[in-house]
Amino acid sequence: MKLKALENSGELIQLGAEGAMPLLKLLRLNLSGKRTESIAPCRFFRPHFFSLSFFKLSIFCWIGSFLFFAFSTLQYKESIMASSFETTLFPIVQTINEYLSNYVLVILLLGIGIWYTIKTRCVQVRCFKEGWNRVFGNITLNGKKGGDGMSSFQALATAIAAQVGTGIIVGVAGAILTGGPGAVFWMWVISFFGMATIYAEATLAQETRIVELDGTIKGGPVYYITTAFKGKFGKFLAGFFAVAITLALGFMGCMVQSNSISATMETAFGIPSWVVGIVLIVICAFIFLGGVQRLASVTEKVVPLMAAVFLFGGLIVLVVRIKYIPETFAMIFRYAFEPQAIVGGGFGYAIKLAISQGAKRGLFSNEAGMGSTPHAHALANVKNPHEQGTVAIIGVFIDMFVILTLNALVIISTLYAGDGPLAGCGAAALSSTFNKTNLAQCAFGTVFGYKAGSMFVAICLFFFAFSTILSWNLFGKINMVYLFGKKSANVYTLLALIFIFLGTTMSNDLVWELSDMLNQLMVIPNAIALLALTSHVVKHSHTPDRLSGRENG
């Protein structure tokens, strides 16, 4: 039998004599480049949903327990038992989140960003133009039809959809209100290093992805985690990550986003939350059931549209307040190093607050190092992993240095600079009047009028949150299938739609905190694998013509 090998971003497919269809899939390339080997399915996660090993049954029960708890606390929130349990658990989860977000993850993710910036010789600078040309050189809103996977732009749009959630408006407002305008500077610093981290994630996702016999592409952190660590330890880390991201993003995270949609629509337009919920799940169900191709087709159109709408509105505000733009930038740089002048307190306390607020918003907005966006980048059909790595860099740039920065400039130029209501005042002085949910509305309302400003922000929040729901659902689904096989996909979709609807009609602080905790815990196994696979990332950044560790040709 004549064999022909086709190379495609880390895949090796063996064809028969006719070359018409694959006979054998060598599922993963040994990253050393010395030999190839077939990888058998993980025994703990064999794709037979009802053939549960004890370990798999434990994971399934864990997920079931979280789902049952979420439903029960939401439905019976007023009962004494649920209220007592929530009162006891809430401060514990909140304390865990505080330590994770303020110390552990900031140090870990910032350290990885600096590490990869050094090891790749500033790949985010060296290859920025290359990534820019790949994104905008052949941009199209009508990508590939049929087949499997996504085009490079579709993968980028899906990744940006996940990055640009409600936090891009509400999160940056909270960071500025708490840490002062100087927090924006630290967002920029963190995001610069995050561009190197996300390059590493995208290249590893491409290098370790698997293409099955039917053409289905599977990729994401669970695959490069098990590449970095063989045996039970790798399976444990991958399983932990998969459970955490499924709960944090697929279920609870989408619930948080749908809650933001219903709240803003009811406030701005008076639409009842249950109506928003019904409309939202109908649209989401149509997209979810259409698979990866339908989702990619939607995100490649929605993401440019929502970015254009927000940029247009933001630029109008900046044009009107143009005389305050120099003062706005001056405040960002001044209060980055003298935050006590506006935040209050001593220098040590103020600088810590400004840096921590900027760092947290910078890290959690661009999601670099968190392990979410690699799922999208793994689906891109590109020549080699380096190509998608450079495209991922542009994703962070658009998210942080364009959209988030524009929102920050609008807030500072209208509320802090010149005759703004927060000019010359400590942020805490007016915190009873302004909060992170209405700060952006007040900023845009300064120029548009409060009602029109609220409507504009509501429309933008709808687009941002809706696109995030689509991407997060996909990421959760990929990990659900990894854990329990393809038969679990329909069950996952049904549960996800239920959570999306519940999010529009009710709110629960403990569920939100649990979502944040799981979202932060999933970073740990992803970060460990990123550090362990440094040599593979460096190889691609220094020698872009390599294909999955092997020389071209």
Side-chain angles (χ1 to χ4, degrees), residues 159-293:
I160 292 177
Q163 294 166 321
V164 184
T166 56
I168 209 73
I169 292 180
V170 178
V172 68
I176 294 173
L177 191 62
T178 305
V184 177
F185 173 83
W186 299 111
M187 290 182 205
W188 292 340
V189 173
I190 297 298
S191 299
F192 172 79
F193 293 117
M195 292 164 77
T197 303
I198 210 162
Y199 172 87
E201 289 184 301
T203 54
L204 290 175
Q206 275 283 321
E207 187 174 18
T208 59
R209 76 179 192 167
I210 295 172
V211 177
E212 295 184 324
L213 292 176
D214 61 358
T216 302
I217 299 175
K218 301 190 301 185
V222 290
Y223 297 98
Y224 59 70
I225 288 173
T226 51
T227 297
F229 303 102
K230 306 297 183 182
K232 292 183 179 180
F233 181 65
K235 292 173 184 177
F236 168 76
L237 286 181
F240 180 85
F241 175 89
V243 171
I245 193 172
T246 301
L247 291 170
L249 301 189
F251 295 133
M252 297 180 188
C254 288
M255 195 175 179
V256 174
Q257 298 294 327
S258 66
N259 182 266
S260 297
I261 291 176
S262 65
T264 53
M265 287 297 170
E266 190 168 14
T267 300
F269 302 102
I271 303 175
S273 59
W274 64 270
V275 174
V276 176
I278 292 175
V279 173
L280 191 59
I281 62 171
V282 169
I283 297 174
C284 288
F286 172 76
I287 297 172
F288 294 165
L289 296 175
V292 172
Q293 289 301 310

Side-chain angles (χ1 to χ4, degrees), residues 45-94:
F45 305 107
R46 196 179 304 278
H48 298 291
F49 183 66
F50 296 102
S51 301
L52 297 177
S53 66
F54 176 77
F55 186 68
K56 186 197 289 187
L57 181 61
S58 300
I59 293 179
F60 184 69
C61 290
W62 187 15
I63 292 179
S65 299
F66 264 97
L67 299 186
F68 173 78
F69 168 74
F71 278 120
S72 62
T73 53
L74 288 169
Q75 186 173 0
Y76 303 109
K77 185 180 177 183
E78 301 302 324
S79 69
I80 297 176
M81 184 178 296
S83 177
S84 177
F85 180 71
E86 182 178 345
T87 302
T88 303
L89 190 58
F90 181 79
I92 298 174
V93 177
Q94 200 171 38

Side-chain angles (χ1 to χ4, degrees), residues 166-174 176-177 264 310 313-314 317 404 406-412 414-416 422 433-458 460-461 464:
T166 56
I168 209 73
I169 292 180
V170 178
V172 68
I176 294 173
L177 191 62
T264 53
F310 187 72
V317 174
L404 185 145
L406 180 68
N407 187 36
L409 293 177
V410 167
I411 291 173
I412 297 171
T414 56
L415 301 181
Y416 286 85
L422 290 174
T433 302
F434 292 98
N435 55 61
K436 65 181 182 179
T437 58
N438 69 10
L439 198 66
Q441 294 175 344
C442 294
F444 282 96
T446 302
V447 173
F448 296 155
Y450 184 77
K451 186 174 182 179
S454 297
M455 289 182 176
F456 176 79
V457 172
C460 291
L461 275 175
F464 292 163

